[in-house]
Amino acid sequence: RLPYRLVDVDNHYYEPDDAFLRHLDPAMRSRAVHVEREPGARGRPFVGSRPAYYLEMTPIDRIGRPGAVVADKDARYQPLPDEDMVEPGKVPRLYDREARLAWMDEQDIEAVVLWPSLGLGMEWQLRDDPAACVASLRAFNDWADEAWGFAYRGRLFAVPTVTLVDLEEAVREVERVLARGARMVHV
């Protein structure tokens, strides 16, 4: 036990399949980030009709456990063995804010800054469609605030993502998320 509680600024959450769609204008759905999955199978992220090029499955289905990637630069690019993998969708603290708060209390963590998992790479794939990029990230930010909170109980700080593909829209989005309690933005 430490004589103080920690603040962790590199926490992540794991997005459900509809994180980009739940708050998206239906007119944008055919161009948006979405997950396709067969029943009982792992999901595959898509942008419009194209599969995401950097992820073959959604992070909520399977990801390396913390610390699993070794320092050896060649080993980082090899598939991790099963014992080094976690299925975040089966670990409530990785997708549920109340479970995360309970876990934080057990670990003596005062607050966490929460970053996306799937959401971190989507802006790049949407860069050639500025309208879809802006709409998708705005909808994603709405989901992040709803699911985690930009400043939930002064302990969970989900970081909204703002794209610069349209500077006027970027300014509007920064103003919008700050008005909703965001303490920082990811650009």
Side-chain angles (χ1 to χ4, degrees):
R1 290 274 189 230
L2 297 171
Y4 52 86
R5 295 182 70 170
L6 301 174
V7 174
D8 183 341
V9 297
D10 191 15
N11 245 241
H12 289 262
Y13 52 76
Y14 296 89
E15 301 91 331
D17 290 357
D18 70 342
F20 281 89
L21 299 176
R22 192 178 301 173
H23 299 284
L24 185 70
D25 177 348
M28 286 288 179
R29 286 187 175 251
S30 66
R31 297 156 56 189
V33 175
H34 65 281
V35 174
E36 293 183 11
R37 72 172 64 236
E38 297 293 324
R42 293 183 178 130
R44 174 80 193 251
F46 277 76
V47 177
S49 61
R50 299 174 324 229
Y53 60 83
Y54 82 105
L55 287 174
E56 294 182 12
M57 71 181 109
T58 63
I60 199 164
D61 290 330
R62 189 168 159 98
I63 196 156
R65 68 170 171 71
V69 177
V70 296
D72 176 19
K73 70 177 180 66
D74 294 326
R76 287 191 314 225
Y77 302 106
Q78 302 301 316
L80 292 170
D82 283 343
E83 62 268 14
D84 282 338
M85 301 302 288
V86 170
E87 294 179 47
K90 294 181 178 177
V91 182
R93 74 173 182 267
L94 299 178
Y95 64 82
D96 177 81
R97 69 181 174 191
E98 296 304 327
R100 179 71 60 100
L101 286 170
W103 175 81
M104 289 166 54
D105 289 339
E106 291 170 11
Q107 300 293 318
D108 285 332
I109 298 173
E110 179 63 30
V112 296
V113 176
L114 292 158
W115 301 95
S117 295
L118 172 62
L120 282 176
M122 290 299 121
E123 178 191 17
W124 181 252
Q125 269 199 255
L126 287 160
R127 71 191 180 284
D128 294 329
D129 187 348
C133 187
V134 168
S136 292
L137 292 176
R138 179 176 293 133
F140 182 74
N141 290 339
D142 288 344
W143 169 82
D145 188 27
E146 173 185 270
W148 291 97
F150 293 146
Y152 186 69
R153 294 190 184 171
R155 298 185 68 198
L156 297 175
F157 299 94
V159 180
T161 301
V162 176
T163 180
L164 299 179
V165 299
D166 180 322
L167 293 179
E168 289 179 15
E169 288 295 331
V171 170
R172 277 193 277 282
E173 185 65 357
V174 167
E175 290 171 346
R176 188 179 82 91
V177 297
L178 290 176
R180 291 173 67 175
R183 300 299 204 280
M184 64 182 80
V185 297
H186 174 237
V187 179

